[in-house]
């Protein structure tokens, strides 16, 4: 017996991943706040924010370099 149906597309879990990232970061920051205080939680949050900004800059630079080479990412 032959299956002529096309395979189904995989579901897009991007939104779920982003939401769970936010949930996990929140509980980790609350746990750090409980153990070491607000200053430690704020420093970690600022460090993560800076890292996410840097990742965006690196991704934009990589995309621009790719376009200059004639390839699309």
């Amino acid at each position: 017996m032959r299956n002529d149906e096309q395979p189904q597309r995989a579901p897009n879990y991007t939104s779920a991943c982003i939401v769970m990232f936010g949930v996990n970061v929140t509980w980790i920051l609350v746990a750090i706040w409980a153990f070491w205080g607000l200053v430690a939680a704020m420093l970690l949050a600022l460090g993560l924010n800076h890292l996410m900004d840097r990742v965006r800059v690196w991704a934009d630079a990589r995309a621009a370099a790719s376009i200059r080479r004639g390839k699309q990412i």
Side-chain angles (χ1 to χ4, degrees), residues 2-73:
R2 191 171 154 180
N3 187 2
D4 291 331
E5 293 182 25
Q6 296 291 328
Q8 298 293 321
R9 290 179 52 121
N12 186 358
Y13 290 115
T14 304
S15 296
C17 179
I18 291 170
V19 168
M20 286 310 300
F21 177 77
V23 169
N24 285 329
V25 167
T26 301
W27 79 259
I28 289 170
L29 288 174
V30 168
I32 289 172
W33 185 0
F35 290 125
W36 292 295
L38 182 61
V39 174
M42 290 300 293
L43 288 174
L44 179 62
L46 287 171
L48 286 173
N49 185 41
H50 179 70
L51 180 65
M52 286 187 278
D53 288 342
R54 292 303 307 160
V55 166
R56 186 176 345 155
V57 169
W58 293 331
D60 290 344
R62 184 173 178 254
S66 177
I67 290 171
R68 281 193 303 271
R69 288 191 309 265
K71 299 179 182 177
Q72 294 290 334
I73 292 182

